[in-house]
Amino acid sequence: NILNSRWENLRVRSMERQNNLHQVLMDLQNQQLSELSDWLAKTEKRTAKMESEPLGPNLESLKKQIEEHKILQEDLEQEQVKVNSLTHMVVVVDEASGDRATIALEQQLQLLGNRWATICRWTEDRWFVLQDVLRKWLQFIEEQGLLDTWFTEKEEFVTTIHTTDFKDQKEMLEYLQKLAILKGELEIKRQSMDKLNSLSQDVLSAVKNKELSQKLEGWLQNISHRWDSLAQKLEGSSKQISQAVAAIQTSLTQTTVMETVTMVTTREQILVKHGKEELPQAPSPKKRQIVVDSEIRKRFDVDTTELHSWMTRSEAILQSPEFAIYRKEGNLSDLREKVNIIEREKPEKCRKLQDANRSSEALIEQMVNDGLNADNIKQASEQLNIRWIEFCQLLSERLAWLEYQNNIIAFYSQLQQLEHTVITVENWMKAQLLPAADPDAVKIQLDRCK
């Protein structure tokens, strides 16, 4: 009796301690979920406020918004640690509540996962928008400065022609040739103006500000007027020098002038032809870097952006808190379908990755040949490939998890069927009478047992 009493006391104390630990785990679990829900609510208000604020309206304001967005990204990375801990959390519910508590907790985890994924997607998409606007804005400012410098230099050159006292016809012919070359460069600059107009439209479509719109449109109109004015001055100067040469030359000299003009015109046509086939060359390394093929760069940027966005959306599904719950029963068809969709899209995205790699290789080769720094292209390509490897690893883990979870559900389903069969047979055996003395009756009972 003493031994039984001590055993009973020990059992009761163990059960009490187990219940206390169970309660502590439940409280800690609810606290973590509550803290995550509060953080999500706070961040949702934060992102809504950021989205309501227009971009810009100036470059400094845009850079400030990018810095604020970086802080948001850092906060997300810090919170990701807590979300990962919830992903691997062992779910604890009150046994007295039954299946309803488990279902309610699963729904709560799914809701939190969807809210987390929405914030991640918004942050990723917003980051790409900010980076794209900043890149185009900086490119516009750079092109604007180069074009201003070029026009100022050429306007001064044309002005000096009117004040030049030519010594002989040879000097006149040299200036005439320079003017013809300048005409070809002026045609090429028309492409730069079109490019600036396109960049300004892209910036204004994102930064909807009337003051900025008036400023950019005013500058574009001014540069267009300068182009027209320079073209008229070139035409007038060329005509003036040609008339001066014709007035002092003999017929032989006039023939030489015609040959020179023909040669200059041909060179002008070649310059214009080359200008249409490739981007304008820089006046000198100090003033202008050679611009690489914009089509390849655009294709690389589009492919990279598409792949990052797809991986972000897919990771939001693959990192869902639903993967933290190991179930003995239930239906995983919805979750499996979401993962299968990602798996089916993967080959197409892999081909897109190969296209991006080929574009980056072509860009790097072109930039190296032109003496430009290609580190940013290399870094973007490396980051894309590293993220792709990590994403594929995560996808493989989730597919393996789903397979393992299905095996668990199948095992417990079979175990439940087996237990049901055993109970049924035991009840049947208990209901049977003692073996009869009659051999025929014993045989009947034996057949039933079989």
Side-chain angles (χ1 to χ4, degrees):
N1 291 334
I2 295 175
L3 182 60
N4 289 336
S5 178
R6 292 178 63 188
W7 174 261
E8 181 63 20
N9 290 335
L10 180 61
R11 188 186 67 82
V12 171
R13 289 172 58 189
S14 298
M15 290 297 296
E16 290 177 351
R17 183 170 178 79
Q18 180 180 345
N19 292 335
N20 291 335
L21 290 174
H22 190 275
Q23 186 63 43
V24 169
L25 285 175
M26 286 179 58
D27 294 341
L28 180 60
Q29 174 180 286
N30 292 331
Q31 179 184 352
Q32 290 177 330
L33 294 177
S34 177
E35 290 176 353
L36 178 59
S37 180
D38 293 341
W39 184 90
L40 289 172
K42 180 180 178 181
T43 306
E44 286 166 350
K45 291 181 180 179
R46 180 179 175 186
T47 55
K49 181 181 178 182
M50 294 172 68
E51 189 172 12
S52 64
E53 296 175 352
L55 297 180
N58 51 54
L59 188 59
E60 294 301 321
S61 299
L62 180 63
K63 290 181 178 180
K64 183 179 179 181
Q65 289 172 332
I66 291 177
E67 292 300 320
E68 292 177 351
H69 197 86
K70 287 181 180 179
I71 295 175
L72 174 62
Q73 289 177 320
E74 292 174 358
D75 293 343
L76 281 175
E77 291 176 359
Q78 294 176 1
E79 194 66 22
Q80 181 71 59
V81 178
K82 298 180 182 179
V83 173
N84 290 340
S85 67
L86 287 176
T87 303
H88 303 292
M89 177 183 67
V90 178
V91 178
V92 180
V93 296
D94 189 357
E95 295 180 355
S97 301
D99 294 338
R100 288 179 298 175
T102 302
I103 295 174
L105 183 58
E106 290 179 359
Q107 292 175 347
Q108 184 181 6
L109 286 172
Q110 184 176 7
L111 178 61
L112 292 176
N114 292 337
R115 292 171 65 188
W116 170 261
T118 301
I119 292 176
C120 290
R121 282 195 300 271
W122 182 89
T123 304
E124 188 78 15
D125 295 341
R126 177 81 168 184
W127 175 252
F128 282 124
V129 171
L130 290 172
Q131 289 296 304
D132 184 60
V133 175
L134 177 63
R135 178 180 60 81
K136 291 179 179 178
W137 204 331
L138 291 175
Q139 188 177 1
F140 178 88
I141 293 175
E142 180 187 2
E143 296 286 345
Q144 180 187 28
L146 292 171
L147 202 56
D148 269 328
T149 302
W150 185 88
F151 269 106
T152 301
E153 179 184 339
K154 302 308 176 185
E155 287 166 350
E156 291 176 355
F157 169 73
V158 175
T159 302
T160 58
I161 293 179
H162 294 285
T163 60
T164 300
D165 186 10
F166 299 110
K167 298 177 181 180
D168 52 30
Q169 63 180 12
K170 180 180 179 181
E171 187 177 5
M172 291 182 183
L173 293 174
E174 289 177 355
Y175 270 94
L176 191 62
Q177 184 176 5
K178 290 179 181 179
L179 290 173
I181 294 174
L182 183 54
K183 285 183 181 179
E185 293 179 355
L186 189 62
E187 283 297 324
I188 293 175
K189 288 303 174 183
R190 173 66 74 180
Q191 298 178 10
S192 298
M193 293 169 61
D194 293 339
K195 180 180 179 181
L196 277 170
N197 185 63
S198 176
L199 287 172
S200 69
Q201 294 300 321
D202 291 340
V203 172
L204 292 176
S205 64
V207 184
K208 298 177 175 60
N209 182 267
K210 185 177 180 180
E211 182 179 350
L212 178 64
S213 176
Q214 293 175 348
K215 181 179 179 181
L216 295 185
E217 290 176 0
W219 184 88
L220 289 171
Q221 290 177 0
N222 177 60
I223 207 70
S224 180
H225 292 327
R226 291 176 71 181
W227 191 95
D228 293 337
S229 177
L230 184 58
Q232 292 175 1
K233 289 179 180 179
L234 284 174
E235 189 66 30
S237 298
S238 299
K239 185 177 181 180
Q240 180 183 357
I241 296 175
S242 297
Q243 291 175 350
V245 171
I248 63 175
Q249 276 188 335
T250 62
S251 63
L252 179 61
T253 306
Q254 291 175 357
T255 303
T256 305
V257 171
M258 292 301 296
E259 292 174 354
T260 303
V261 172
T262 301
M263 178 187 68
V264 170
T265 304
T266 303
R267 183 172 180 180
E268 177 186 346
Q269 292 174 350
I270 292 174
L271 282 171
V272 174
K273 180 180 179 181
H274 286 318
K276 293 179 179 179
E277 293 177 352
E278 57 186 12
L279 293 172
Q281 290 190 350
S284 66
K286 295 181 180 179
K287 297 177 182 176
R288 189 70 168 92
Q289 288 184 334
I290 300 175
V291 183
V292 297
D293 192 325
S294 60
E295 262 322 299
I296 300 178
R297 179 58 186 265
K298 181 179 179 181
R299 191 161 58 246
F300 174 74
D301 289 341
V302 170
D303 290 343
T304 302
T305 302
E306 180 181 341
L307 284 169
H308 277 300
S309 299
W310 179 77
M311 285 190 282
T312 299
R313 293 192 299 269
S314 300
E315 285 169 353
I317 296 174
L318 299 178
Q319 293 174 349
S320 170
E322 291 185 71
F323 286 99
I325 304 173
Y326 280 96
R327 306 170 179 82
K328 294 182 180 180
E329 58 184 5
N331 190 350
L332 297 174
S333 58
D334 291 342
L335 187 60
R336 173 172 283 278
E337 179 60 25
K338 293 179 181 178
V339 177
N340 286 341
I341 291 175
I342 298 174
E343 177 69 11
R344 289 195 295 269
E345 293 176 348
K346 180 182 172 184
E348 178 187 351
K349 301 305 177 183
C350 185
R351 289 190 292 271
K352 185 74 68 175
L353 176 67
Q354 294 172 355
D355 292 340
N357 287 334
R358 283 192 290 268
S359 298
S360 67
E361 291 173 0
L363 273 174
I364 292 170
E365 181 180 358
Q366 180 69 30
M367 295 177 75
V368 170
N369 291 338
D370 292 340
L372 298 177
N373 188 349
D375 290 344
N376 59 334
I377 302 297
K378 291 180 182 178
Q379 185 178 3
S381 180
E382 290 174 358
Q383 290 177 350
L384 178 63
N385 283 278
I386 290 173
R387 186 179 183 187
W388 176 264
I389 293 173
E390 294 175 350
F391 172 80
C392 291
Q393 177 65 26
L394 176 62
L395 178 58
S396 299
E397 291 175 359
R398 292 305 186 237
L399 288 171
W401 185 92
L402 286 170
E403 187 66 27
Y404 178 64
Q405 179 64 73
N406 281 337
N407 291 337
I408 292 177
I409 294 176
F411 169 77
Y412 279 101
S413 176
Q414 294 175 2
L415 180 62
Q416 186 177 9
Q417 293 177 4
L418 183 60
E419 290 177 346
H420 178 72
T421 302
V422 171
I423 292 173
T424 302
V425 173
E426 286 178 344
N427 292 335
W428 177 81
M429 292 181 65
K430 290 177 181 178
Q432 299 304 307
L433 299 175
L434 293 175
D438 185 5
D440 293 333
V442 172
K443 185 177 180 181
I444 293 173
Q445 290 182 347
L446 181 61
D447 291 338
R448 289 178 178 176
C449 289
K450 290 181 179 181

